[in-house]
Coordinates of all heavy atoms in Angstrom, one line a residue:
T160 N 2.5 -25.9 5.1 CA 2.8 -26.1 3.6 C 1.7 -26.7 2.9 O 0.9 -27.4 3.5 CB 4.2 -27.1 3.6 OG1 4.6 -27.0 2.3 CG2 3.9 -28.4 4.1
A277 N 21.5 -20.7 -3.4 CA 20.1 -20.7 -3.9 C 19.4 -21.9 -3.7 O 20.0 -23.0 -3.4 CB 20.1 -20.6 -5.4
G278 N 18.1 -21.9 -3.5 CA 17.3 -23.1 -3.1 C 15.8 -22.7 -3.3 O 15.5 -21.5 -3.5
S279 N 15.1 -23.7 -2.9 CA 13.5 -23.6 -2.9 C 12.9 -23.9 -4.2 O 11.7 -24.0 -4.2 CB 13.1 -22.3 -2.4 OG 13.5 -21.9 -1.1
A280 N 13.7 -23.7 -5.3 CA 13.1 -24.0 -6.7 C 14.4 -24.1 -7.6 O 15.5 -23.6 -7.1 CB 12.3 -22.8 -7.2
P281 N 14.2 -24.8 -8.7 CA 15.5 -24.9 -9.7 C 16.0 -23.7 -10.0 O 15.4 -22.8 -10.6 CB 14.9 -25.8 -10.7 CG 13.4 -25.8 -10.7 CD 13.0 -25.3 -9.3
L282 N 17.3 -23.5 -9.9 CA 18.0 -22.3 -10.5 C 18.4 -22.6 -11.9 O 19.3 -23.6 -12.1 CB 19.3 -22.1 -9.5 CG 20.2 -20.9 -10.1 CD1 19.6 -19.6 -9.8 CD2 21.6 -21.0 -9.5
E300 N 24.0 -24.1 -5.2 CA 22.6 -24.6 -5.2 C 22.5 -25.7 -4.3 O 23.3 -26.6 -4.2 CB 22.1 -24.7 -6.6 CG 20.6 -25.2 -6.5 CD 19.7 -25.3 -7.8 OE1 20.6 -25.2 -8.9 OE2 18.7 -25.5 -7.8
R301 N 21.4 -25.8 -3.5 CA 21.1 -26.8 -2.6 C 19.6 -27.1 -2.7 O 18.8 -26.3 -3.2 CB 21.5 -26.6 -1.2 CG 21.0 -25.2 -0.5 CD 19.8 -25.3 -0.1 NE 18.9 -24.3 0.2 CZ 17.7 -24.2 0.2 NH1 17.0 -25.1 -0.2 NH2 16.9 -23.2 0.6
Y302 N 19.1 -28.3 -2.0 CA 17.8 -28.7 -2.3 C 17.2 -29.0 -0.8 O 17.9 -29.3 0.0 CB 17.6 -29.9 -2.9 CG 16.4 -30.8 -2.8 CD1 15.4 -30.7 -3.7 CD2 16.5 -31.8 -1.9 CE1 14.2 -31.5 -3.5 CE2 15.3 -32.6 -1.8 CZ 14.3 -32.5 -2.5 OH 13.1 -33.2 -2.4
G303 N 15.9 -28.6 -0.6 CA 15.3 -28.8 0.7 C 13.7 -28.9 0.6 O 13.2 -28.8 -0.5
M304 N 13.2 -29.1 1.7 CA 11.7 -29.3 1.8 C 11.3 -28.9 3.2 O 12.1 -29.4 4.1 CB 11.4 -30.6 1.3 CG 10.0 -30.8 1.0 SD 9.7 -32.5 0.3 CE 7.8 -32.4 0.0
S305 N 10.1 -28.3 3.4 CA 9.7 -28.0 4.8 C 9.8 -29.4 5.6 O 10.1 -29.2 6.8 CB 8.3 -27.5 4.8 OG 8.3 -26.2 4.0
E306 N 9.4 -30.5 5.0 CA 9.3 -31.7 5.7 C 10.6 -32.3 6.1 O 10.6 -33.3 6.9 CB 8.4 -32.7 4.9 CG 7.0 -32.4 4.9 CD 6.5 -31.6 3.6 OE1 7.5 -30.8 3.3 OE2 5.4 -31.7 3.1
V324 N 21.8 -30.2 -7.6 CA 21.6 -29.8 -6.2 C 22.7 -30.5 -5.5 O 22.7 -30.4 -4.2 CB 20.2 -30.0 -5.7 CG1 19.3 -29.1 -6.3 CG2 19.8 -31.4 -5.9
T380 N 9.4 -37.7 -0.9 CA 9.3 -36.2 -1.3 C 8.4 -35.8 -2.5 O 8.1 -34.7 -2.5 CB 10.8 -35.7 -1.6 OG1 11.2 -36.3 -2.8 CG2 11.8 -35.9 -0.5
D382 N 9.5 -35.6 -5.3 CA 10.5 -34.9 -6.3 C 11.1 -35.9 -7.0 O 11.5 -37.0 -6.5 CB 11.4 -34.0 -5.6 CG 10.9 -32.8 -5.0 OD1 10.1 -32.1 -5.8 OD2 11.1 -32.5 -3.9
I394 N 17.5 -32.4 -9.9 CA 15.9 -32.5 -9.8 C 15.3 -32.2 -11.2 O 15.6 -31.3 -11.9 CB 15.4 -31.4 -8.9 CG1 16.2 -31.3 -7.6 CG2 13.9 -31.7 -8.6 CD1 15.8 -32.1 -6.6
R397 N 8.4 -32.8 -10.5 CA 7.6 -33.4 -9.3 C 6.8 -34.5 -9.8 O 6.2 -34.4 -10.9 CB 6.8 -32.4 -8.7 CG 7.6 -31.4 -7.8 CD 6.7 -30.5 -7.1 NE 6.0 -31.4 -6.0 CZ 6.5 -31.7 -4.9 NH1 7.6 -31.3 -4.4 NH2 5.8 -32.5 -4.0
K404 N 5.4 -24.4 -7.9 CA 6.3 -23.6 -7.1 C 6.5 -22.3 -7.9 O 6.9 -22.3 -9.1 CB 7.7 -24.2 -7.0 CG 7.8 -25.0 -5.7 CD 8.7 -24.3 -4.7 CE 8.4 -24.6 -3.4 NZ 9.4 -24.2 -2.4
G407 N 9.5 -19.4 -5.4 CA 9.9 -20.1 -4.1 C 8.8 -20.5 -3.2 O 8.9 -21.3 -2.2
K409 N 5.4 -22.6 -2.4 CA 4.7 -23.9 -2.8 C 3.2 -23.6 -2.7 O 2.7 -23.1 -1.8 CB 5.0 -25.0 -1.8 CG 4.7 -26.3 -2.3 CD 5.3 -27.4 -1.3 CE 5.3 -28.8 -1.7 NZ 5.5 -29.7 -0.6
Ligands
AMP4 P1 8.4 -26.4 0.3 O1 7.3 -27.2 0.6 O2 8.0 -24.9 0.1 O3 9.4 -26.5 1.6 O4 9.0 -26.7 -0.9 C1 9.8 -27.8 -1.1 C2 10.0 -28.2 -2.6 O5 10.8 -27.1 -3.2 C3 10.7 -29.4 -2.9 O6 9.9 -30.5 -2.7 C4 11.2 -29.2 -4.4 O7 10.1 -29.4 -5.2 C5 11.4 -27.7 -4.4 N1 12.9 -27.4 -4.3 C6 13.6 -26.9 -3.2 N2 14.9 -26.6 -3.6 C7 15.1 -27.0 -4.8 C8 16.1 -27.0 -5.9 N3 17.3 -26.6 -5.5 N4 15.7 -27.5 -7.0 C9 14.6 -27.8 -7.4 N5 13.5 -27.8 -6.6 C10 13.7 -27.5 -5.3

Side-chain angles (χ1 to χ4, degrees):
T160 189
S279 306
L282 177 74
E300 186 172 1
R301 54 79 194 157
Y302 160 89
M304 199 171 178
S305 304
E306 288 91 332
V324 290
T380 65
D382 288 308
I394 315 276
R397 292 192 59 87
K404 264 258 153 155
K409 194 177 194 184

